[in-house]
Amino acid sequence: MDKLHLDQHISRQYNADLEDLRTELLEMGGMVQEQIRDAISAISNADSDLARKVTTVEDEVDAREIALDEHCTLILARRQPAASDLRMVLAVSKITRDLERMGDEANKVATMAIALVDEGQSSQGYVELRHLAKSVLLMVDQMLNAFARFDVDAAMTVVREDKLVDREYKSSTRELITYMMEDPRSIGRVMNVMWALRSLERIGDHARNVAEHIIYLVKGLDVRHTSVSEMERQVSES
Amino acid sequence: MNMATNTAETIGDNHQTVGTPFVDNAKLSMRNVNVFYGEKQAIFDVGMDIGTNEVMAMIGPSGCGKSTFLRCLNRMNDTIEGCRVEGDLNLEGEDIYGAKLDVVPLRARVGIVFQKPNPFPKSIYDNIAYGPRIHGLVSKRTELDEIVETSLQKAGLWNEVKDRLDAPGTGLSGGQQQRLCIARTIAVSPEVILMDEPCSALDPIATAKIEELIAELSENYTIAIVTHSMQQAARVSNRTAYFHLGKLIEVNETEKVFTNPDHQLTEAYITGRFG
């Protein structure tokens, strides 16, 4: 359902411009989502070929970021959007940046996957990695759905999920430290897993940022830097 | 739901203005205002305040009643046959439509600038001097000279015309003529300046000068401006009022109106979904 009535301007070209913006962002989102999925698959299955594929997609994602920003600039210059249209353009511009960063983090995970394959297989840390990866992938999926449907409830789910991911990340880190204490020879390898975990956690943070931009887009509320409970209160009151 | 066709159900008879139409430091205070042109009602139960030294923008589609409402504020509608104004309209507690009120001093206190610059067919000097003379504000020529100079300075026109004060006002460019009209309004020391689409006949540079002037004047005067340019409303005003089919739909801080308006009709209008 189109809650923002993007297709009801007097100018059909304006409708088309905004609709294109939305489609382009979803395409970029899909691309980044696949990049994250592949990076996780590469590190979980020690697949360095897949990891290299992730790193090559990076350039394409960067190009999309630039194209989307240019599109936003053009709409601002030509249409001087107001109210929900203005929020749409601003939110897309910010979401693009977060998506690009998510792609960067996926790239880092892929690089760690290549390093881990080079160092030889080990199961240490992979359970933690899989667990966190599952939660993060779910967040990214919900985040894209929330944008596609302009769904504030779905965006709030992403925000709540990020709290859990942060908690999981902390406990995984603790677990990995015990591996390193038990067997100092594993430090190099486990550190690579830790970096990958850190990147996944950052992807979760970016997904939360995107969710906040979606809330701004739909409700006009700036909920950045507020607690989840405060956010819930503001959203329910608006 | 189609936003363009649900107007009737959205503003029914029990319509309430959303946002913050009332303020504490009201210069002009209007309540339950209804305006009729003969049998036809043009304004429906409008209530709002315009705060002291505030710039209030009034926007809305053509025929929404914004100009009609603006012209009620200094009784310009009195000159239109068949026009009837009901309700309470007060200028600092004084009834604008009171039986004892003389409209001539009222219009000195509440000046108006129109869409098309309308200088008198007189010299630049006399255009400004006319008001102070008829209102008996000056007794000496030097005082008059001073008023002419300060008014032109406040209107940002002094440097452009100081060497040709005897030249006809009609010989100035459109933007200069409009600033001359603003200077003429200022010359009688008004408290409120009403502007009815003051820039719609001007080019972007002249428009920018008038907008700059509005910002400066708002330090000393209360300003109400009717404009068809939403960007102009966004640029110059503190609060914005949105009129639709004679009803006051929303009054809010301008920042709020243009980023996240409370009423869907306001949203539809400012985003170009109907007009």
Side-chain angles (χ1 to χ4, degrees):
Chain A
M1 192 180 76
D2 180 2
K3 285 181 189 164
L4 295 180
H5 307 280
L6 290 181
D7 58 347
Q8 290 180 4
H9 295 90
I10 295 163
S11 161
R12 280 194 213 152
Q13 187 55 49
Y14 196 5
N15 289 340
D17 283 349
L18 288 172
E19 195 53 48
D20 286 352
L21 201 62
R22 178 184 171 175
T23 314
E24 283 169 32
L25 188 91
L26 283 170
E27 280 172 9
M28 181 180 174
M31 200 178 269
V32 170
Q33 186 181 31
E34 199 180 322
Q35 216 186 350
I36 297 167
R37 199 179 287 136
D38 285 349
I40 288 167
S41 180
I43 201 164
S44 307
N45 305 321
D47 184 343
S48 53
D49 290 341
L50 190 59
R52 281 193 191 90
K53 185 192 149 202
V54 172
T55 55
T56 55
V57 178
E58 183 63 12
D59 290 345
E60 174 72 8
V61 170
D62 289 353
R64 292 274 179 151
E65 182 197 16
I66 291 169
L68 263 161
D69 260 349
E70 196 177 312
H71 198 159
C72 288
T73 309
L74 274 180
I75 293 180
L76 287 171
R78 282 192 181 151
R79 307 276 175 192
Q80 292 98 44
S84 59
D85 298 337
L86 176 65
R87 300 202 304 271
M88 171 82 180
V89 176
L90 292 176
V92 165
S93 176
K94 289 176 181 176
I95 291 172
T96 311
R97 195 174 158 77
D98 276 304
L99 286 179
E100 192 273 332
R101 295 277 184 86
M102 287 163 105
D104 283 351
E105 297 296 342
N107 209 22
K108 285 183 197 163
V109 174
T111 314
M112 292 307 147
I114 295 167
L116 281 168
V117 172
D118 290 348
E119 284 173 23
Q121 298 260 1
S122 167
S123 62
Q124 280 177 344
Y126 286 97
V127 178
E128 287 79 4
L129 199 62
R130 278 206 192 96
H131 198 58
L132 196 70
K134 204 174 151 194
S135 305
V136 168
L137 273 177
L138 187 70
M139 276 179 83
V140 172
D141 193 47
Q142 283 167 336
M143 168 201 91
L144 289 174
N145 278 335
F147 179 77
R149 295 176 193 150
F150 299 131
D151 183 345
V152 170
D153 292 338
M156 278 309 299
T157 312
V158 174
V159 171
R160 281 185 219 106
E161 196 76 20
D162 184 49
K163 278 271 173 214
L164 296 178
V165 165
D166 287 354
R167 227 170 290 153
E168 275 176 32
Y169 169 68
K170 269 187 195 147
S171 82
S172 302
T173 316
R174 234 171 283 137
E175 188 86 4
L176 291 180
I177 288 169
T178 60
Y179 291 153
M180 293 192 278
M181 285 160 70
E182 281 167 11
D183 180 7
R185 285 171 304 173
S186 70
I187 287 177
R189 196 173 55 244
V190 174
M191 278 305 289
N192 278 338
V193 176
M194 264 190 152
W195 288 123
L197 278 174
R198 166 91 186 136
S199 285
L200 288 177
E201 188 268 337
R202 290 294 299 146
I203 289 174
D205 289 345
H206 288 299
R208 177 193 164 128
N209 291 350
V210 172
E212 289 170 356
H213 300 323
I214 294 167
I215 293 169
Y216 170 72
L217 160 62
V218 180
K219 295 275 188 180
L221 294 170
D222 192 342
V223 290
R224 289 173 302 173
H225 313 299
T226 46
S227 66
V228 177
S229 54
E230 173 62 17
M231 226 182 257
E232 280 167 340
R233 189 189 63 77
Q234 286 189 27
V235 167
S236 67
E237 280 176 7
S238 69
Chain B
M1 184 178 67
N2 188 328
M3 292 181 87
T5 56
N6 68 353
T7 309
E9 64 194 72
T10 316
I11 42 169
D13 290 341
N14 298 322
H15 160 73
Q16 291 277 321
T17 302
V18 298
T20 49
F22 308 119
V23 292
D24 293 334
N25 63 339
K27 184 81 179 175
L28 285 158
S29 173
M30 286 68 70
R31 297 289 183 276
N32 312 108
V33 176
N34 290 288
V35 182
F36 302 83
Y37 289 118
E39 292 297 302
K40 192 183 175 302
Q41 188 164 1
I43 297 282
F44 297 81
D45 201 29
V46 167
M48 70 185 286
D49 290 335
I50 301 177
T52 305
N53 292 6
E54 174 179 55
V55 181
M56 168 68 84
M58 299 176 184
I59 59 170
S62 296
C64 69
K66 54 192 188 301
S67 284
T68 298
F69 185 72
L70 185 84
R71 283 156 189 251
C72 291
L73 305 181
N74 72 345
R75 291 182 58 171
M76 288 304 286
N77 288 333
D78 287 11
T79 57
I80 299 170
E81 203 175 326
C83 180
R84 196 170 87 246
V85 179
E86 289 175 0
D88 299 323
L89 295 95
N90 290 293
L91 171 62
E92 288 198 317
E94 200 177 335
D95 184 1
I96 295 174
Y97 283 80
K100 290 180 195 156
L101 190 118
D102 182 354
V103 294
V104 177
L106 169 73
R107 287 179 192 154
R109 289 176 72 190
V110 184
I112 189 162
V113 177
F114 296 98
Q115 177 178 359
K116 211 165 161 260
N118 54 351
F120 302 135
K122 290 168 178 283
S123 70
I124 294 170
Y125 186 96
D126 285 336
N127 260 281
I128 312 293
Y130 183 79
R133 276 191 193 124
I134 63 155
H135 289 289
L137 300 179
V138 286
S139 50
K140 283 184 267 174
R141 172 81 188 191
T142 47
E143 282 175 12
L144 197 56
D145 287 349
E146 202 180 310
I147 288 181
V148 170
E149 181 174 340
T150 13
S151 304
L152 285 168
Q153 266 169 350
K154 280 186 189 164
L157 194 60
W158 176 248
N159 286 336
E160 290 161 59
V161 300
K162 63 182 176 196
D163 300 325
R164 46 174 172 148
L165 292 175
D166 294 333
T170 47
L172 296 171
S173 74
Q176 287 172 327
Q177 284 188 19
Q178 194 63 304
R179 278 181 282 146
L180 180 67
C181 294
I182 293 173
R184 188 175 67 189
T185 308
I186 295 169
V188 290
S189 307
E191 294 158 51
V192 182
I193 303 175
L194 309 177
M195 297 186 172
D196 193 356
E197 298 180 41
C199 301
S200 57
L202 305 181
D203 70 33
I205 303 292
T207 300
K209 285 183 184 164
I210 301 280
E211 287 177 3
E212 182 60 25
L213 180 58
I214 291 171
E216 280 168 27
L217 293 176
S218 69
E219 287 172 20
N220 301 309
Y221 306 96
T222 300
I223 297 172
I225 175 170
V226 162
T227 175
H228 269 302
S229 161
M230 284 173 275
Q231 280 77 35
Q232 179 167 65
R235 286 191 295 262
V236 303
S237 66
N238 305 112
R239 283 194 303 151
T240 298
Y242 174 64
F243 287 79
H244 189 96
L245 298 175
K247 291 179 179 169
L248 180 57
I249 304 300
E250 172 167 355
V251 184
N252 254 322
E253 298 292 318
T254 298
E255 188 186 288
K256 173 146 179 64
V257 169
F258 286 92
T259 55
N260 191 18
D262 282 332
H263 202 287
Q264 67 180 60
L265 280 172
T266 318
E267 166 106 18
Y269 180 68
I270 63 165
T271 56
R273 284 172 170 84
F274 70 81

